[in-house]
Amino acid sequence: MDGKRQNSEIGRQLELAWTPGAEGEARGESGVRAEPDASEHRLENPTEPVSVMQEVLTAENLRAALRQVQANQGSPGIDGMTVAQLPAYLQTHWPRIKEQLLQGRYRPQPVKRVEIPKPDGGIRKLGIPTVLDRFIQQAALQVLQKRWDKTFSESSYGFRPKRSAHQAVAAAQRHIASGRGWVVDIDLEKFFDRVNHDKLMGRIMQRENDKPLLKLIRAYLNAGVMESGVVVSSEEGTPQGGPLSPLLSNLVLDELDKELERRGHAFVRYADDCNIYVHSERAGQRVMEGISRFITDQLKLKVNASKSAVARPKDRKFLGFSFTGGKEPKRRVAPKALARFKEKVRKLTRRTKGQSLRQMQVPLNVYLRGWRGYFGFCQTPSVLKALDEWIRRRLRCLAWTHWKRGVRRFAELVKRGVGKDLAAQTAGSQCGPWRISNSPGLNMALPNRLWDRLGIERGRLAL
């Protein structure tokens, strides 16, 4: 049975458990479903208000949550359950779990600690919930996001429906073009690790009074983290890795957004990256001082002074982009992002990997396609063209090292149409591979159309 048929069959089997009208039904000893009493159909009364948790647990919402978890995939949590095993588990255990959720008795498992390197150094700590908890969080997210998102600031772009990093960068560009030539770049130190639980729950209670939902969110915040086989309690923070974490972080920082709006500032926020645009350095210093005090005193968070600054936008980066100077600023790829790009390409085309050019093609293309899809938003095509040329030179350098000896190098050059004199001169050169990769002989032997035939995509975009 293929995956679609299996999901369809499981969906039909879970339909009764997920349908509000079937809530409370149980099987007798003979396996025949017992007749529910009238009280078990109370959710079918259209005049009675539906709680938020009941909305979370509707069949339609749960099916959508399951589809999203399956689409996201991801690694198992501490219990080892995979995404593929989740539907069968729900088929057996969902009625009990649903009852626990409605009564506020559900207890999530601790998240699994995973550490990944940050692009600019350091370690980012992720907390991977179990697949079951990801499913429940996703179901809650789908309902709460619809209820809360419309109240968030127009200047907030991170992890919101129909909003993107590109829109945030474009908004920043508009602020700069309006004459605000200075940016207050605020970096929150370990934001996801330092969210105050009581303050966060207070913000949620201002919006929701559904006790089972509030107990569920509090349980997720207090679930703890498993590190090296030991469960560590979590007294603050919202671990990155669960579906609910971005929404809760937006709720915390919505208070900052509202304060910035009250003060009349032009700003852009994407998750915990917040840039405020002002007309002068002096104004920027005043804003930095005042907003830092608000973040510390009101939000109970900490500003990273070493990474925060008041500067010209061209000297700072925002979501991987920077901006040119002048009255009409253009988007450009930030220098650090360019450096990371070259470092990644070098790793994918390392000479010592022992791979042929065709073998390198697939992982290189995957990376180039993703990078181009994001950074193609820049407005400096000359930079992309230069990167395109650099990649091809890197590949020519790799081919040259694969040919190893002068005799083979001469033969390969001649076979590719290079004259014997030029081939002999190139093959006998004492220059290193990088210098040779830009020589007339090797450019003639390995032209751009060769890389096109090999399926190695061009890095340049038509802008």
Side-chain angles (χ1 to χ4, degrees):
M1 182 182 295
D2 58 32
K4 290 185 178 179
R5 288 178 60 194
Q6 183 182 26
N7 282 350
S8 177
E9 179 65 24
I10 291 172
R12 285 193 295 270
Q13 293 174 359
L14 287 174
E15 182 70 30
L16 285 175
W18 284 3
T19 301
E23 191 169 86
E25 296 176 0
R27 292 187 184 276
E29 293 182 2
S30 63
V32 178
R33 187 169 295 277
E35 185 68 24
D37 61 34
S39 65
E40 291 172 340
H41 289 282
R42 60 186 177 277
L43 294 181
E44 294 180 351
N45 183 357
T47 64
E48 187 171 336
V50 176
S51 71
V52 180
M53 183 58 80
Q54 289 167 345
E55 189 177 348
V56 169
L57 298 177
T58 59
E60 181 181 359
N61 188 58
L62 292 172
R63 280 194 293 268
L66 180 59
R67 286 194 298 268
Q68 190 60 53
V69 170
Q70 290 173 324
N72 292 342
Q73 289 299 309
S75 59
I78 64 171
D79 61 355
M81 184 192 299
T82 66
V83 172
Q85 295 169 328
L86 177 61
Y89 182 86
L90 292 174
Q91 182 180 347
T92 303
H93 300 282
W94 181 249
R96 171 181 56 83
I97 296 170
K98 181 179 180 180
E99 182 181 1
Q100 291 175 348
L101 289 167
L102 287 169
Q103 296 178 358
R105 295 187 295 105
Y106 179 78
R107 291 294 175 264
Q109 296 190 64
V111 299
K112 181 171 69 175
R113 172 69 74 214
V114 175
E115 296 182 348
I116 61 174
K118 291 183 178 180
D120 54 353
I123 296 294
R124 174 176 285 113
K125 293 183 177 182
L126 302 181
I128 308 302
T130 64
V131 174
L132 174 62
D133 285 325
R134 295 209 294 270
F135 166 68
I136 296 172
Q137 284 193 37
Q138 180 64 37
L141 169 68
Q142 292 166 179
V143 171
L144 295 178
Q145 193 159 54
K146 290 178 183 178
R147 296 168 66 90
W148 298 354
D149 189 77
K150 57 190 175 185
T151 69
F152 290 157
S153 169
E154 286 296 314
S155 298
S156 167
Y157 291 87
F159 307 109
R160 296 181 61 189
K162 299 181 181 179
R163 287 176 172 250
S164 68
H166 285 172
Q167 291 175 333
V169 173
Q173 184 181 16
R174 289 193 295 271
H175 288 320
I176 299 167
S178 70
R180 294 175 172 86
W182 291 84
V183 60
V184 182
D185 186 353
I186 297 178
D187 183 89
L188 299 178
E189 186 173 310
K190 298 181 179 179
F191 165 69
F192 287 93
D193 297 332
R194 290 186 168 162
V195 171
N196 184 284
H197 286 180
D198 291 335
K199 190 165 184 64
L200 172 57
M201 290 304 302
R203 296 282 292 174
I204 297 172
M205 286 163 49
Q206 290 174 3
R207 295 168 179 258
E208 310 292 350
N209 60 4
D210 187 284
K211 287 186 178 180
L213 175 72
L214 295 174
K215 288 182 178 180
L216 176 66
I217 295 176
R218 173 65 85 169
Y220 275 121
L221 293 176
N222 295 339
V225 180
M226 179 170 283
E227 297 186 72
S228 303
V230 178
V231 176
V232 180
S233 62
S234 50
E235 299 177 357
E236 60 180 2
T238 59
Q240 298 181 72
L244 263 181
S245 181
L247 179 63
L248 297 180
S249 68
N250 271 335
L251 183 61
V252 171
L253 293 178
D254 183 61
E255 190 172 350
L256 171 62
D257 297 342
K258 295 299 191 288
E259 179 66 17
L260 292 172
E261 290 175 344
R262 188 186 68 80
R263 299 187 186 193
H265 291 311
F267 71 98
V268 180
R269 183 177 66 79
Y270 190 95
D272 57 338
D273 286 333
C274 185
N275 280 4
I276 308 166
Y277 296 91
V278 296
H279 291 279
S280 69
E281 183 178 13
R282 186 177 179 182
Q285 296 294 350
R286 287 199 305 269
V287 171
M288 175 67 82
E289 181 180 350
I291 295 302
S292 295
R293 187 164 52 247
F294 175 84
I295 289 172
T296 302
D297 295 344
Q298 298 299 318
L299 302 185
K300 309 302 181 185
L301 299 170
K302 185 176 180 181
V303 174
N304 189 333
S306 64
K307 292 185 177 181
S308 301
V310 177
R312 294 287 190 182
K314 66 182 180 64
D315 298 324
R316 305 294 292 179
K317 66 178 179 68
F318 182 54
L319 302 177
F321 290 89
S322 184
F323 302 93
T324 61
K327 294 182 179 180
E328 296 183 2
K330 294 185 181 298
R331 301 182 296 269
R332 65 179 183 181
V333 183
K336 286 186 177 180
L338 289 174
R340 287 197 297 269
F341 171 83
K342 290 189 173 182
E343 180 183 359
K344 180 65 174 181
V345 172
R346 287 189 186 101
K347 288 182 178 179
L348 292 173
T349 59
R350 191 176 293 138
R351 305 172 198 171
T352 57
K353 293 183 73 173
Q355 291 181 320
S356 68
L357 292 176
R358 289 190 180 276
Q359 289 173 318
M360 290 182 179
Q361 167 197 338
V362 174
L364 181 60
N365 274 347
V366 169
Y367 178 69
L368 292 179
R369 197 177 299 122
W371 193 92
R372 196 169 65 238
Y374 183 74
F375 286 104
F377 189 59
C378 77
Q379 296 172 311
T380 51
S382 60
V383 173
L384 297 176
K385 182 179 179 181
L387 287 177
D388 187 50
E389 295 169 350
W390 178 83
I391 292 171
R392 270 140 191 79
R393 185 173 178 182
R394 175 80 183 171
L395 295 172
R396 291 186 184 101
C397 179
L398 188 66
W400 188 250
T401 59
H402 281 177
W403 294 342
K404 294 184 179 179
R405 299 184 179 277
V407 173
R408 184 184 174 187
R409 287 171 174 173
F410 175 80
E412 294 286 354
L413 291 171
V414 171
K415 183 173 69 174
R416 287 166 170 76
V418 179
K420 290 186 177 181
D421 289 344
L422 182 57
Q425 179 184 346
T426 306
S429 173
Q430 297 300 310
C431 296
W434 182 249
R435 181 96 176 260
I436 289 292
S437 65
N438 202 35
S439 66
L442 203 54
N443 274 278
M444 187 182 302
L446 303 174
N448 285 344
R449 62 178 180 274
L450 169 67
W451 312 120
D452 294 338
R453 287 201 304 271
L454 285 175
I456 296 175
E457 299 188 4
R458 300 216 175 195
R460 178 167 53 88
L461 288 180
L463 299 177

